[in-house]
Amino acid sequence: MKKLIKYLVIATIAFVVLLIGVVVSAYFLIDPNNYQDEMTRYVKEKTGRDLIIGGDIEKSIYPLLGVKVPSITLSNPPGFKQKTFFSVKEAQVGVKLMPIFSGALESDLVRLVGLELNLEKNANGTQNWDDLIALAGQKDKGSSESSRSTETAPKQKMTFSFQGIEIIDASISWTDVTNGQQYRVNEVNLSVSLEELSKPFDVAFSGKIQSETPFLESRIDLKTTALMNETFDQFNLSDLDLLINTEADGLPKGGVRVNLKTQIDASLPDQKVSIKEIQLQVNDILLNGHTSITNFLSAPAVSGKLQIEPLNPRELAKTFEIPLPEMQNPEALTKLGVDLNFNATPQAVALDPIAIKFDNTSLSGKLGVSNFAKPALRFAFNADKINIDDYLPPESEESAQASQEKSEQATEEAPDLSALKELDLEGTIEISEVVAKNLKTTDIKLTITGKNGKITIDPLSALLYQGSLDGKIQLDATQPTPVITIKKSLKDFQAGPFTTDLLGKERINGIAMFDMDFKTTGITPDTIMKNLNGNGKFRFSDGAISGINLG
């Protein structure tokens, strides 16, 4: 495909130069209409394809020396569905007269109307441009050998410039018989307005992409102002505005609307691309940021900043027809905002820092992944408050009974833990407060490591109703049957505030403590409880129930 794009660009430039050459020859050398038969025979001889010129080439005198070329058609080789490979209904160009005498070709706007290009891969996997690329390769080789074997006297170079190009109502189709894919780009319009290459010039493009298998219909509109240097290896795109409206299988009703606005600077010698002032909107999602790409030809690296403006996940799910369960808090899943910096290479990705605002929870931290063949994950996250109750179903006797029946009917299948053997994990999590069933746990701190099939949480600490919880949990998936080890200790746990939050009023007062050291095998709840084994001790002091002293 890269070669195809290369030769299409070369062919377009060659076609423009050829048109301008025809203008000059038409006035000063020959009448090209006298050579149409020779041209078609030459193309047939070299390519095996039919070249059809649909009429006489028309001349114009004022205000420019100009020609209008009628329809031109180049056929496909045998064995392809479409008969035509390339056609254009009309081509028009003019050149200024006086600059010709000083060795310069200054063209007016080059205009192509009704250009059609049909790209195709047949059942044998052959593409309908393969023969042209092979022929061009032979010519390149012959020209190279000729230039090495022949020395010519220096010649004065003729300069070439044109004021732009206008392509009206073009179409490009792609058919792949091997997999049934068919894509078509219709209503293509391209306008490039040039005064001088050293000055900014406007570019406008529009087109419509269509496909039947799979269904796709997308409208593209692009506008920008471009600037290139004399060697064409540095360019700037300012005020770039890209709008894409797409309807396709799997997308929500009404389709997806994408609007990108940005500024782009690129330098091939420096191997650097800067994309600044990014504003990307996808339906109701708005992203801002900037990014840069360095060493893209040798050791590519990408860095930048991304910000997702606050949005409503519940409304977003509705747009994409994703059903959400009913929750205790109707305001749950209504606020989300993201702010992060990123760095990426072919070997690693790092997000640092990350800041996420989700409903009433603020999360910050960093995340990194390296060695994608065998990923190594590193992270550190801090959160202020997480209220799990907000996301639970509303409480009722019916829902509790239905949940119990569903749990009893559910078949327990042991999950596949083989992926843990390749896991390389290190990270920390700190949470100021977690609320579940109206019970509060604060100052949660844990460190997670995973290596060679073993996942360990150590240390695990938290404050629970004025008491301190410390522990260690390990899952060993290296054995045929997973082994789980749990060590926990709780000290100075206050029963009064706990029962108040759990039952709505204080039923029990006192101080509790426990120590446990358990081991079990299996991974499903039933097997875990069945194989549970270990030691534990419990103590309750200064206790009272409804005014009864338990001593």
Side-chain angles (χ1 to χ4, degrees):
M1 186 58 72
K2 290 182 178 178
K3 285 187 177 181
L4 172 62
I5 295 173
K6 171 186 174 183
Y7 283 108
L8 285 177
V9 172
I10 292 173
T12 302
I13 296 173
F15 187 66
V16 171
V17 174
L18 175 63
L19 285 176
I20 296 171
V22 168
V23 175
V24 178
S25 65
Y27 281 91
F28 297 104
L29 300 176
I30 59 173
D31 182 356
N33 291 311
N34 296 332
Y35 294 86
Q36 288 191 20
D37 291 340
E38 284 79 356
M39 284 188 285
T40 56
R41 281 197 296 269
Y42 179 82
V43 171
K44 185 71 172 180
E45 178 185 340
K46 294 297 182 181
T47 68
R49 300 173 183 235
D50 295 323
L51 175 67
I52 301 172
I53 301 175
D56 290 340
I57 298 172
E58 301 177 10
K59 301 179 182 180
S60 62
I61 299 176
Y62 183 82
L64 299 168
L65 300 179
V67 294
K68 181 187 292 185
V69 182
S71 63
I72 300 175
T73 301
L74 181 64
S75 71
N76 260 326
F80 290 92
K81 184 178 179 180
Q82 295 285 346
K83 293 182 179 180
T84 301
F85 172 69
F86 169 88
S87 69
V88 61
K89 292 180 180 178
E90 178 186 309
Q92 185 174 354
V93 66
V95 297
K96 297 178 181 178
L97 176 61
M98 296 308 295
I100 295 175
F101 300 104
S102 59
L105 283 178
E106 295 185 11
S107 167
D108 190 21
L109 187 71
V110 177
R111 190 168 183 263
L112 303 176
V113 180
L115 184 149
E116 181 177 353
L117 179 63
N118 297 311
L119 305 176
E120 185 177 341
K121 180 190 288 187
N122 64 18
N124 298 324
T126 303
Q127 299 166 136
N128 63 344
W129 63 86
D130 288 344
D131 58 328
L132 300 179
I133 291 179
L135 181 64
Q138 293 174 4
K139 290 185 176 180
D140 288 345
K141 182 179 180 181
S143 299
S144 176
E145 293 175 353
S146 175
S147 65
R148 287 196 297 267
S149 61
T150 306
E151 291 186 3
T152 58
K155 295 182 178 180
Q156 182 179 359
K157 292 183 178 180
M158 175 170 282
T159 62
F160 164 69
S161 65
F162 69 105
Q163 291 187 1
I165 185 169
E166 185 177 37
I167 298 176
I168 301 173
D169 196 25
S171 65
I172 302 172
S173 69
W174 163 250
T175 301
D176 189 342
V177 178
T178 63
N179 59 20
Q181 285 185 346
Q182 286 186 321
Y183 293 94
R184 188 170 185 86
V185 185
N186 291 322
E187 303 175 22
V188 175
N189 295 282
L190 173 65
S191 174
V192 180
S193 302
L194 283 170
E195 292 183 7
E196 297 179 20
L197 284 177
S198 60
K199 295 182 179 180
F201 56 92
D202 294 332
V203 179
F205 171 85
S206 63
K208 188 176 182 180
I209 302 175
Q210 292 177 302
S211 169
E212 295 181 0
T213 308
F215 168 72
L216 170 70
E217 188 168 296
S218 184
R219 176 77 188 184
I220 302 173
D221 292 278
L222 170 68
K223 293 181 180 179
T224 188
T225 299
L227 177 63
M228 295 185 294
N229 65 351
E230 294 180 353
T231 53
F232 302 102
D233 57 9
Q234 293 182 349
F235 68 87
N236 166 267
L237 300 179
S238 60
D239 300 325
L240 187 148
D241 191 342
L242 172 64
L243 178 62
I244 304 175
N245 288 289
T246 303
E247 293 185 11
D249 291 337
L251 294 182
K253 293 180 180 178
V256 173
R257 182 181 187 274
V258 178
N259 185 205
L260 171 65
K261 297 181 179 181
T262 188
Q263 320 284 335
I264 301 177
D265 289 309
S267 171
L268 293 180
D270 297 332
Q271 296 189 48
K272 184 176 181 179
V273 177
S274 296
I275 307 175
K276 300 173 288 186
E277 301 176 26
I278 298 173
Q279 292 184 359
L280 175 62
Q281 185 166 3
V282 182
N283 283 13
D284 295 329
I285 304 173
L286 180 60
L287 298 87
N288 298 312
H290 59 81
T291 185
S292 64
I293 307 170
T294 58
N295 300 321
F296 50 78
L297 297 178
S298 53
V302 182
S303 62
K305 179 180 179 65
L306 175 66
Q307 183 180 46
I308 302 178
E309 296 292 335
L311 57 87
N312 189 324
R314 190 173 289 276
E315 292 297 323
L316 187 64
K318 187 183 299 182
T319 299
F320 285 89
E321 300 176 347
I322 301 173
L324 294 177
E326 188 179 1
M327 300 177 185
Q328 289 185 18
N329 186 351
E331 295 299 315
L333 294 180
T334 59
K335 299 174 185 176
L336 174 64
V338 179
D339 195 343
L340 60 85
N341 290 352
F342 61 88
N343 290 277
T345 67
Q347 295 76 37
V349 174
L351 307 180
D352 184 13
I354 303 172
I356 300 174
K357 180 68 176 178
F358 184 67
D359 290 338
N360 296 318
T361 299
S362 294
L363 176 71
S364 62
K366 58 183 179 180
L367 173 66
V369 182
S370 60
N371 186 18
F372 297 120
K374 189 177 180 181
L377 181 64
R378 304 291 182 264
F379 63 88
F381 289 109
N382 294 274
D384 53 2
K385 181 178 181 178
I386 301 175
N387 192 333
I388 297 175
D389 291 343
D390 288 345
Y391 307 96
L392 297 178
E395 290 186 347
S396 65
E397 293 183 4
E398 292 81 3
S399 64
Q401 183 177 355
S403 177
Q404 182 177 355
E405 291 175 355
K406 185 177 180 180
S407 177
E408 291 174 353
Q409 294 172 0
T411 58
E412 293 185 339
E413 294 184 6
D416 183 6
L417 302 180
S418 58
L420 297 182
K421 296 178 181 180
E422 302 296 324
L423 186 63
D424 183 356
L425 174 71
E426 288 184 18
T428 61
I429 297 175
E430 296 186 6
I431 307 174
S432 298
E433 182 179 77
V434 172
V435 178
K437 295 294 183 180
N438 204 39
L439 301 177
K440 302 177 183 65
T441 306
T442 61
D443 293 334
I444 301 169
K445 297 178 183 180
L446 54 92
T447 298
I448 305 175
T449 58
K451 195 79 171 177
N452 300 324
K454 293 183 179 181
I455 306 296
T456 304
I457 302 177
D458 183 24
L460 165 61
S461 65
L463 298 181
L464 188 62
Y465 290 95
Q466 302 177 34
S468 59
L469 175 68
D470 295 285
K472 173 183 176 181
I473 302 174
Q474 184 180 74
L475 169 63
D476 185 353
T478 62
Q479 307 299 322
T481 302
V483 178
I484 300 175
T485 304
I486 302 173
K487 294 182 179 180
K488 286 186 178 181
S489 67
L490 177 65
K491 299 178 181 178
D492 301 326
F493 175 81
Q494 301 293 322
F498 173 78
T499 57
T500 299
D501 286 344
L502 180 64
L503 305 174
K505 60 182 178 179
E506 187 175 294
R507 292 288 183 88
I508 300 175
N509 259 317
I511 301 174
M513 62 82 62
F514 69 77
D515 286 290
M516 66 167 63
D517 187 350
F518 293 147
K519 180 178 288 189
T520 186
T521 57
I523 198 62
T524 63
D526 279 351
T527 57
I528 288 174
M529 295 305 298
K530 179 180 178 181
N531 301 321
L532 191 61
N533 175 349
N535 300 307
K537 61 180 180 178
F538 175 81
R539 179 182 177 186
F540 191 82
S541 61
D542 299 330
I545 299 178
S546 300
I548 302 174
N549 189 351
L550 299 180

